[in-house]
Amino acid sequence: MQSQSQLQTQTQKASPLLTFTDGGSRLGSFANGVQVPPNSTIALTHGDELRLGAAHAVFRIVEKNIVIAFSGMKSNAKNALSATAQSLGMRVIGDFSPECTHLGMTTLKITMKTVAVAHGTKIVTDAWIHGIQSQLNSNSFKLPNEVDFIPSVKEDNLTSETFLPNDSRKSLFAGKQFLFFDAVELEMFTPIVNICGGSVIDCSSPNLSEQQLEHQMRQAVSPIVISPEPSHPKFKKIPAQINSKDNIIYALLHINVPAHLESRACCYHVDHTKPEPFS
């Protein structure tokens, strides 16, 4: 005999309301160990435990907050969308951070914001928020699938699917050591490299001598050297194959290190010998 019980959600402006109705199931249902009276409806909240029948199928209710930031939008549109998101119970923050579950954008292009995919952040258009709003007071709320609301891409050789979250990124840089010579890039990319399983070596200090620089670079067995701009004073002192910061982003998006990042042993030579005296 099939259970006639139903689990439903109804969206309200504060937060979704989750209810459970026991439709007279033969084996009964239990919320937090207490039997739900047949043909009755109860409200459920975060942490509640629901057990169905003698099979002991147990469900725990977990409420996950949506934290969203918006990028690449005009101020008026961004403010209006932020107000809508807040009215739906989402937490809106001014700029992207790793705590964001979602990032709202109109189009996708290579910026530091798009490395949100390293954190598993879902990138969506405003239509995703409006899809939630359209279900206000619905008796069968369903969170719209973010895959259906990926922004269009404005970059060659990239597709919307490139920006989907993928657990493979968590180990993408495992065993890789990244050498940074620019302090700004070091600060910017260290969290990204770390979350993808890699490590960084700081070569950015302006007081680093040539011998110290050699020592730093020799620490890495097969380093991925992130070159500073050509105007950087250390630019000509880097003897290994060099990569740009864009290489990191492309490797991250395509989930492919060999195709976008060169890694090889440093061949760092410093002449410590004194010149022979003239005879």
Side-chain angles (χ1 to χ4, degrees):
M1 177 179 176
Q2 284 187 325
S3 171
Q4 299 175 10
S5 304
Q6 291 183 332
L7 191 65
Q8 293 184 325
T9 56
Q10 180 178 11
T11 55
Q12 298 178 333
K13 285 197 173 183
S15 62
L17 173 66
L18 182 66
T19 62
F20 172 78
T21 300
D22 184 297
S25 58
R26 181 170 60 90
L27 299 176
S29 54
F30 302 81
N32 300 318
V34 178
Q35 184 170 6
V36 179
N39 302 307
S40 66
T41 298
I42 62 169
L44 296 172
T45 188
H46 176 76
D48 285 348
E49 190 173 271
L50 186 66
R51 179 165 61 85
L52 305 179
H56 301 292
V58 178
F59 303 88
R60 183 175 296 278
I61 309 303
V62 178
E63 180 180 350
K64 292 187 176 180
N65 295 324
I66 293 176
V67 181
I68 191 167
F70 298 100
S71 178
M73 301 179 181
K74 293 183 177 180
S75 295
N76 290 343
K78 183 176 181 179
N79 292 338
L81 201 55
S82 295
T84 300
Q86 288 175 328
S87 73
L88 294 170
M90 301 180 193
R91 183 157 69 90
V92 179
I93 60 178
D95 202 2
F96 172 76
S97 76
E99 68 176 325
C100 287
T101 58
H102 294 76
L103 177 63
M105 301 181 74
T106 53
T107 58
L108 287 170
K109 55 185 179 180
I110 300 298
T111 68
M112 282 305 298
K113 294 290 196 309
T114 55
V115 300
V117 297
H119 301 278
T121 303
K122 299 176 176 66
I123 306 177
V124 295
T125 63
D126 59 342
W128 180 77
I129 292 177
H130 294 312
I132 297 175
Q133 187 182 36
S134 68
Q135 298 185 70
L136 283 176
N137 302 317
S138 168
N139 288 325
S140 56
F141 172 80
K142 183 178 181 181
L143 188 70
N145 190 340
E146 292 90 347
V147 174
D148 299 326
F149 296 90
I150 304 175
S152 59
V153 179
K154 296 298 182 182
E155 297 278 351
D156 295 334
N157 304 318
L158 291 175
T159 65
S160 296
E161 287 70 25
T162 311
F163 294 85
L164 290 174
N166 189 314
D167 285 343
S168 298
R169 292 192 176 97
K170 294 179 181 178
S171 58
L172 181 65
F173 298 147
K176 307 295 183 185
Q177 295 171 304
F178 290 72
L179 278 67
F180 287 93
F181 291 79
D182 182 88
V184 174
E185 291 183 358
L186 173 71
E187 181 179 4
M188 188 183 301
F189 281 95
T190 293
I192 297 166
V193 170
N194 289 341
I195 201 171
C196 293
S199 60
V200 301
I201 296 178
D202 182 3
C203 299
S204 65
S205 173
N207 300 320
L208 208 63
S209 69
E210 195 168 354
Q211 287 76 22
Q212 289 172 324
L213 179 58
E214 175 192 6
H215 176 72
Q216 288 282 73
M217 296 185 73
R218 287 189 184 279
Q219 289 185 60
V221 177
S222 186
I224 295 176
V225 180
I226 307 303
S227 171
E229 297 298 325
S231 59
H232 195 282
K234 289 195 179 77
F235 180 78
K236 294 182 179 180
K237 297 182 179 180
I238 305 171
Q241 177 68 38
I242 56 177
N243 303 273
S244 73
K245 59 178 184 277
D246 289 343
N247 292 120
I248 300 179
I249 296 175
Y250 277 107
L252 179 67
L253 292 175
H254 289 288
I255 318 178
N256 190 331
V257 171
H260 299 282
L261 289 166
E262 290 284 348
S263 175
R264 62 179 62 178
C266 288
C267 299
Y268 201 94
H269 298 290
V270 179
D271 186 5
H272 298 296
T273 61
K274 295 182 180 180
E276 290 283 340
F278 288 106
S279 55

